[in-house]
Amino acid sequence: MSIAQLKILAISTDAEDVRRLHETLANDPSHEIELHGAVILKQALRQLRVTRFDAVLLHLPAGRDSSLSALGTLLEHTSGIPVVVLTERDDEELAVLALKAGAQDALCKQSLDGGLVARAIRFAIERHQLYVALHAMALLDDLTGLYNRRGFQTLGKQQMKIADRTRKRLSHLFVDVDGLKRINDRFGHREGDLMLLETAELLRSTFRESDLIARIGGDEFVVLAMDVGSPSQDQWTARLEEQLRSHNARPGRRYPLSLSLGFAYYDPAFPCALSDLLDRADTLMYEQKRGKRRLSPLGGVAARRTPSRGVRRDVKRAD
């Protein structure tokens, strides 16, 4: 990416900071950067929703707690965008804390020139792209492209923290593919892999892009969905049944695809650990699996539910 193509958002409560950044970059014509400004975080978040920026410059004032809180909020909304922070003179401790929190670089705002800012932005973008690539390799399932168990644990805990702050409930679905061993034994492991790929695609087409979908074991999948006007458990089950009927009705199929489900819920009023939520949905799924034994010729889904509150009232959520 050429530095001349970069679109940067600068955030500072002092509009004069943004003006000085414009002047600093204009004084070095070898680096043409399109700089946008925002004086409050809420305004910046609105701009980030409607405009694609390559990086963000965030001024951190001297107040340490408020600065790190603002940085944390910004990082939650800019997972795909590197953030470079600007600190007051000699505040090295705040700069180190910002880097530990997730900023890609920290610059002293009193010592800036156009070349330094441009290089810092370029290097931050390159480091961030490398980090995202390596992070994705560690968190994604090789076969399906969904998140793996590690990815689910990492992102699921983040979702629970967001649920705690927003007081929104989370729906958790545990999915088990029925008869995978029989398919492997009868048709070979390649056919079993295709069955898993079909399941992954079925879940992608049923749930929203914002929902966390993962393959956490050989034939085990999970979904974590924030309840923001989301469908109920019965509606999710109906959607999956409809998708399965359509899928299994395709000509030339040698066996039906069928799933067993277990639903559990996370309620911020009754916090619990992600592992407890996972275990509860897993247990309900296996109760249903043992009870149904054999599905109809077209396959299908069967679900057990848990009450719409926390898994256990006396269990604290692990960070």
Side-chain angles (χ1 to χ4, degrees):
M1 175 185 297
S2 168
I3 196 71
Q5 298 174 330
L6 296 182
K7 183 180 290 187
I8 307 302
L9 177 64
I11 308 169
S12 176
T13 55
D14 187 352
E16 184 65 17
D17 286 339
V18 178
R19 187 191 65 79
R20 281 196 293 266
L21 274 171
H22 271 291
E23 290 182 352
T24 299
L25 292 168
N27 288 335
D28 189 339
S30 63
H31 301 292
E32 182 183 342
I33 295 177
E34 183 181 334
L35 190 69
H36 297 244
V39 294
I40 59 175
L41 188 59
K42 185 178 294 186
Q43 177 191 4
L45 296 179
R46 284 199 299 268
Q47 289 182 247
L48 287 163
R49 283 195 292 269
V50 299
T51 305
R52 184 192 178 282
F53 291 97
D54 296 292
V56 174
L57 291 171
L58 173 66
H59 173 231
L60 298 181
R64 195 146 300 173
D65 291 341
S66 60
S67 293
L68 293 175
S69 175
L71 174 60
T73 300
L74 180 63
L75 290 170
E76 284 183 6
H77 292 81
T78 57
S79 59
I81 308 173
V83 176
V84 175
V85 298
L86 306 177
T87 66
E88 299 295 332
R89 189 186 305 277
D90 297 329
D91 199 345
E92 188 169 333
E93 184 178 351
L94 179 58
V96 171
L97 291 172
L99 293 174
K100 288 183 177 179
Q104 281 292 332
D105 204 347
L107 304 173
C108 176
K109 78 170 189 176
Q110 283 83 7
S111 306
L112 297 181
D113 61 66
L116 176 62
V117 174
R119 285 193 299 274
I121 291 171
R122 184 177 71 248
F123 294 156
I125 291 171
E126 291 174 353
R127 283 194 302 272
H128 187 74
Q129 289 174 342
L130 178 60
Y131 169 80
V132 168
L134 293 174
H135 194 59
M137 290 171 62
L139 300 183
L140 296 182
D141 175 52
D142 289 339
L143 176 64
T144 64
L146 299 175
Y147 289 107
N148 57 21
R149 179 178 286 272
R150 182 179 178 184
F152 175 74
Q153 293 285 347
T154 300
L155 299 178
K157 289 175 182 178
Q158 292 179 0
Q159 286 285 75
M160 293 177 82
K161 289 179 181 179
I162 294 172
D164 287 338
R165 283 197 298 272
T166 60
R167 313 306 293 173
K168 300 291 187 182
R169 195 178 70 163
L170 290 171
S171 296
H172 174 54
L173 169 65
F174 197 106
V175 180
D176 186 84
V177 181
D178 295 323
L180 179 61
K181 184 179 184 304
R182 292 195 302 271
I183 297 301
N184 284 332
D185 292 343
R186 183 175 178 184
F187 300 107
H189 286 273
R190 175 56 183 160
E191 192 69 24
D193 286 348
L194 292 175
M195 190 177 188
L196 294 172
L197 287 167
E198 289 175 343
T199 303
E201 187 55 38
L202 187 79
L203 294 175
R204 284 192 186 97
S205 63
T206 301
F207 293 91
R208 303 165 299 191
E209 288 187 12
S210 59
D211 296 331
L212 175 56
I213 308 173
R215 178 190 175 211
I216 62 169
D219 57 359
E220 297 173 338
F221 295 79
V222 289
V223 181
L224 195 62
M226 187 78 73
D227 281 5
V228 183
S230 63
S232 67
Q233 172 184 321
D234 290 339
Q235 289 172 307
W236 283 137
T237 304
R239 281 193 190 182
L240 279 170
E241 287 177 338
E242 181 181 353
Q243 295 275 4
L244 273 173
R245 280 194 297 270
S246 175
H247 185 84
N248 287 327
R250 295 174 183 173
R253 288 200 60 84
R254 294 183 288 177
Y255 55 87
L257 175 63
S258 63
L259 308 173
S260 295
L261 312 179
F263 280 89
Y265 299 95
Y266 176 77
D267 189 335
F270 306 101
C272 68
L274 180 61
S275 57
D276 291 300
L277 190 67
L278 187 66
D279 289 345
R280 179 59 174 159
D282 185 18
T283 298
L284 290 168
M285 183 277 298
Y286 272 107
E287 287 179 4
Q288 181 60 53
K289 197 176 186 73
R290 286 194 297 268
K292 71 179 184 179
R293 297 297 180 185
R294 185 180 297 274
L295 294 171
S296 68
L298 287 181
V301 296
R304 287 292 297 272
R305 72 182 70 200
T306 190
S308 58
R309 64 176 198 172
V311 177
R312 284 176 51 196
R313 199 166 185 158
D314 59 338
V315 178
K316 292 185 178 180
R317 178 177 59 73
D319 290 326

